[in-house]
Amino acid sequence: MFIPAGSTRWRKRQRYNAMNKVFLSGRITSDISRFGTDSKGGVSFSLVTSKPVIKDGQVQKDENGYTETYDEFHQIKAFNGLGKSVANHKKKGDKLMIVGELRYSRNERDGRTYYNTDIVAEDIEFL
């Protein structure tokens, strides 16, 4: 569908072109910790995603014949009912698929500045 560049509809469409979406599938690697109150709280946990190491077009194997993987660890936060559902039904080692957005934060402790990157979950599917 063609939308003329000067139209109001075009400007509204342009506003939504910037997107902050993350799609992850992996395993829970830490115990799920709750924070806040039951009605306004959430949960926090880490998730690992893995992909095989490929060199010269070949998947690399270790000395035991297992596929070598490159692992990334992500900090996940889920709020309200979504967080409560994860805390009640999942544990360390379980697989999840997460759709969320990146959030960056900074805090100071003991005179040092710490930077964090979290993924705030919008949807979680139990695998």
Side-chain angles (χ1 to χ4, degrees):
M1 174 170 90
F2 175 74
I3 301 173
S7 73
T8 305
R9 213 165 155 196
W10 183 81
R11 279 180 266 149
K12 284 182 183 177
R13 200 173 183 117
Q14 288 297 92
R15 189 176 342 157
Y16 299 109
N17 280 345
M19 187 181 297
N20 178 3
K21 281 282 188 217
V22 176
F23 298 85
L24 296 173
S25 178
R27 291 191 181 274
I28 299 172
T29 62
S30 66
D31 291 329
I32 298 169
S33 61
R34 294 177 185 252
F35 58 86
T37 62
D38 280 343
S39 62
K40 293 190 178 184
V43 297
S44 177
F45 58 93
S46 62
L47 188 85
V48 65
T49 56
S50 303
K51 69 177 189 175
V53 176
I54 298 174
K55 186 175 180 183
D56 298 328
Q58 299 290 321
V59 174
Q60 298 299 298
K61 306 267 186 184
D62 64 11
E63 59 275 355
N64 297 321
Y66 293 106
T67 301
E68 288 186 33
T69 59
Y70 176 72
D71 301 327
E72 272 305 322
F73 292 84
H74 313 276
Q75 281 303 120
I76 311 294
K77 289 186 179 177
F79 294 93
N80 301 323
L82 187 60
K84 192 181 290 186
S85 179
V86 171
N88 290 340
H89 300 289
K90 292 295 165 184
K91 64 186 182 314
K92 184 176 177 179
D94 289 343
K95 290 177 89 175
L96 299 175
M97 182 161 21
I98 296 176
V99 177
E101 64 180 43
L102 285 174
R103 293 270 175 91
Y104 301 101
S105 62
R106 178 180 71 186
N107 58 42
E108 294 194 22
R109 195 173 2 150
D110 302 326
R112 296 185 64 186
T113 303
Y114 294 91
Y115 297 92
N116 299 314
T117 302
D118 295 322
I119 296 164
V120 177
E122 296 171 359
D123 188 33
I124 297 177
E125 185 175 326
F126 298 168
L127 302 177

